[in-house]
Amino acid sequence: MSQRSEFSPDTLPVDLTDAGIVVEYTDGREVFYGGVPETVTGELTTAPGKEVHVLVTDPTETEGVLVYVNDRTTADSIIADTGVGRVLLDQDEETTLFPGVSVRETGYRTIVDADPQSARGRVFVFEEDDMGERAFEIVAED
């Protein structure tokens, strides 16, 4: 497999709809994350072996940053034109994606820890593979 690089995310247009979440890449293409996200508080541990995408919106919920976590399949030449960020983590490594949002790799699972108040927006986590996808929103604890 060829070497993959990390990318810083650009701010992208976001549309939160009743049917799901639309993110428009800087190259004009769109991605649709379908369904109503399940709400969780604090920390989310993803299912093993899934692709993980983290979206943090701005306070207006019309823009956001999207980061792929440990995506080792998308070629650098493709991701470079999308405005999507990418972080690559080794086992037990942790990084901050955005103020109030960090990710940690445990081997087969990714742990996303978020404080939406510190992030000053909504925090969504999408996990997917060939078998399906699930969406989550990390909300503040009461």
Side-chain angles (χ1 to χ4, degrees):
M1 184 180 331
S2 63
Q3 179 67 34
R4 300 292 184 232
S5 301
E6 293 191 334
F7 289 88
S8 296
D10 293 330
T11 301
L12 303 171
V14 174
D15 188 13
L16 306 179
T17 71
D18 290 339
I21 300 170
V22 180
V23 179
E24 184 180 335
Y25 297 148
T26 55
D27 63 8
R29 293 180 300 131
E30 293 180 343
V31 63
F32 176 72
Y33 297 101
V36 176
E38 176 184 335
T39 58
V40 296
T41 57
E43 187 176 273
L44 170 71
T45 301
T46 64
K50 301 286 187 178
E51 293 181 20
V52 177
H53 304 168
V54 178
L55 171 67
V56 180
T57 70
D58 72 342
T60 69
E61 300 176 2
T62 60
E63 296 181 321
V65 292
L66 179 63
V67 178
Y68 294 173
V69 180
N70 275 358
D71 168 31
R72 299 180 192 277
T73 58
T74 306
D76 284 1
S77 60
I78 293 172
I79 204 167
D81 295 330
T82 63
V84 173
R86 176 167 57 195
V87 297
L88 302 170
L89 303 172
D90 292 325
Q91 185 167 339
D92 298 323
E93 188 176 4
E94 182 173 352
T95 192
T96 299
L97 297 182
F98 194 79
V101 182
S102 65
V103 293
R104 184 170 67 250
E105 185 61 38
T106 65
Y108 294 106
R109 296 175 185 264
T110 301
I111 299 171
V112 182
D113 189 12
D115 175 8
Q117 291 176 328
S118 296
R120 298 188 51 235
R122 295 174 74 176
V123 179
F124 298 96
V125 179
F126 310 102
E127 60 175 37
E128 56 187 44
D129 63 11
D130 293 337
M131 304 285 283
E133 62 182 49
R134 294 189 320 162
F136 303 91
E137 180 178 4
I138 300 177
V139 297
E141 295 185 35
D142 291 332

